[in-house]
């Protein structure tokens, strides 16, 4: 963790040092046109170089740290190329791994788009950059990292769910009718917190519930309806699928209580769901 933070700090300072002096003001003029997401509409020529330096440093730093953590947890790429055996059912995870890839691909895309937009990039360029970075690094995890890992292998189903998450993030940002829909995660039991964000064992996959939520009064009432999926490895030989229904909220939903602008700014940070839930399948 310390190495990751140090690397991130060095890259950030490097970007600030070498960035050219900004040529545009921080505050928009009275003639600035805002998008329906409450951010300045730009043609891509008003990129703030300081913000772009931060964007570049953070992107490179977090990517390097993430790749380092992937290999530390699941092993290094020291073998020959191979596909993951029994990709869909052979890992005894009952597709919780694939669902985690879906959510991670979506949130990485959402974060990348909004972060790129923050620098002053145009709407189209922000979406292209955010989705491109997410797709690139999600692919990198599978090939070459997992593909040459003797304990893993290239997972086709993982890639499919990765790209589905990227696609949903792109479409949700582009089309306003999709914005009441979201994907989030929740800790099943707050007393059981994994040592790291990424699950390191089959048992740690059980700690999370993956939610697809819908906010019927999006932007007005900070509540959503959700259907959740999780697994149970209490009997390690027979993993059980769990299905949940719930009513919950998130940082995004709460942010809208303080105005549309705050809700939109906090949208990309609404990863965690807090719910009242009932289990309907086990």
């Amino acid at each position: 963790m310390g190495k990751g933070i140090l690397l991130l700090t060095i890259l950030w300072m490097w970007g600030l040092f070498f960035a050219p002096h900004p040529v545009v003001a921080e505050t928009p003029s009275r003639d600035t046109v805002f998008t329906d997401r409450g951010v300045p509409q730009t043609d891509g020529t008003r990129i703030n170089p300081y913000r772009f330096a931060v964007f570049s440093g953070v992107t490179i730093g977090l990517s390097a740290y993430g790749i380092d953590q992937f290999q530390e947890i699941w092993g290094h790429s020291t073998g020959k190329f191979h596909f993951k055996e029994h990709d869909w059912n052979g890992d005894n995870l009952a597709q919780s791994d694939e669902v985690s890839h879906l959510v991670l691909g979506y949130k990485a895309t959402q974060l990348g788009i909004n972060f790129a937009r923050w620098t002053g990039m145009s709407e189209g360029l922000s979406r292209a950059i955010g989705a491109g970075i997410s797709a690139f690094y999600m692919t990198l995890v599978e090939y070459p990292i997992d593909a040459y890992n003797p304990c893993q292998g290239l997972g086709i189903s993982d890639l499919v769910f990765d790209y589905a998450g990227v696609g949903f993030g792109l479409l949700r940002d582009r089309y306003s009718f999709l914005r009441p829909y979201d994907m989030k995660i929740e800790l099943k039991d707050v007393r059981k917190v994994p040592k790291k964000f990424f699950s390191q064992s089959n048992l740690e996959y059980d700690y999370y519930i993956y939610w697809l939520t819908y906010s019927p009064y999006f932007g007005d009432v900070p509540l959503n309806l959700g259907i959740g999926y999780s697994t149970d490895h209490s009997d390690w030989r027979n993993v059980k699928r769990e299905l949940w229904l719930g009513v919950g909220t998130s940082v995004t939903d709460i942010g809208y209580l303080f105005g549309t602008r705050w809700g939109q700014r906090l949208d990309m940070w609404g990863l965690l769901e807090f719910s009242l839930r009932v289990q309907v399948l086990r």
Side-chain angles (χ1 to χ4, degrees):
M1 183 68 170
K3 292 187 296 183
I5 294 175
L6 178 61
L7 174 61
L8 182 60
T9 302
I10 292 173
L11 288 168
W12 178 72
M13 294 179 67
W14 176 88
L16 287 180
F17 182 79
F18 286 101
H21 186 73
V23 295
V24 297
E26 286 289 333
T27 55
S29 70
R30 66 178 64 184
D31 298 323
T32 300
V33 177
F34 286 86
T35 69
D36 60 349
R37 296 181 63 84
V39 296
Q41 176 68 60
T42 128
D43 59 5
T45 62
R46 299 174 62 86
I47 296 175
N48 184 305
Y50 282 110
R51 291 187 177 187
F52 183 76
V54 174
F55 170 78
S56 302
V58 170
T59 300
I60 296 172
L62 286 179
S63 300
Y65 177 69
I67 291 172
D68 177 71
Q69 289 299 296
F70 291 150
Q71 297 198 354
E72 181 178 329
I73 294 172
W74 294 304
H76 292 269
S77 307
T78 57
K80 295 181 179 180
F81 171 84
H82 66 288
F83 290 94
K84 184 183 292 183
E85 294 185 11
H86 310 295
D87 191 14
W88 184 249
N89 287 315
D91 53 12
N92 198 38
L93 289 172
Q95 289 76 56
S96 59
D97 183 43
E98 281 81 1
V99 175
S100 71
H101 278 258
L102 175 70
V103 176
L104 185 58
Y106 160 61
K107 295 307 294 186
T109 301
Q110 187 182 49
L111 182 62
I113 291 173
N114 282 280
F115 204 3
R117 185 180 285 127
W118 173 75
T119 70
M121 295 183 192
S122 67
E123 292 294 294
L125 182 59
S126 296
R127 294 186 184 110
I129 292 293
I133 289 174
S134 177
F136 174 77
Y137 283 105
M138 299 301 285
T139 303
L140 190 67
V141 170
E142 294 301 323
Y143 182 89
I145 293 176
D146 278 358
Y148 290 91
N149 184 338
C151 302
Q152 296 293 326
L154 175 61
I156 299 300
S157 64
D158 289 346
L159 278 177
V160 170
F161 278 77
D162 286 335
Y163 298 149
V166 173
F168 178 69
L170 195 59
L171 292 173
R172 184 179 180 274
D173 189 85
R174 177 65 179 83
Y175 298 104
S176 59
F177 72 88
L178 288 175
R179 289 175 198 152
Y181 298 91
D182 207 351
M183 288 189 285
K184 306 181 183 76
I185 63 173
E186 183 178 19
L187 286 172
K188 191 185 300 183
D189 186 342
V190 294
R191 296 169 298 180
K192 295 181 179 180
V193 180
K195 297 179 180 179
K196 298 186 178 181
F197 177 76
F198 301 107
S199 300
Q200 301 183 66
S201 66
N202 287 14
L203 186 61
E204 287 194 356
Y205 274 93
D206 296 348
Y207 293 173
Y208 295 113
I209 301 174
Y210 301 96
W211 289 98
L212 174 63
T213 65
Y214 171 69
S215 300
Y217 302 103
F218 183 68
D220 296 318
V221 179
L223 292 174
N224 60 62
L225 307 175
I227 179 169
Y229 181 77
S230 62
T231 53
D232 178 15
H233 285 86
S234 54
D235 179 0
W236 64 270
R237 293 167 297 183
N238 298 297
V239 57
K240 297 177 181 177
R241 294 177 171 86
E242 299 176 328
L243 195 64
W244 306 81
L245 296 177
V247 178
T249 189
S250 68
V251 170
T252 301
D253 297 302
I254 295 173
Y256 275 98
L257 289 177
F258 302 95
T260 302
R261 186 71 60 84
W262 274 105
Q264 291 169 337
R265 287 174 175 173
L266 293 172
D267 189 33
M268 64 179 173
W269 305 108
L271 174 62
L272 295 178
E273 174 79 353
F274 306 93
S275 71
L276 296 175
R277 60 186 185 269
V278 58
Q279 189 172 340
V280 296
L281 174 66
R282 181 175 180 178

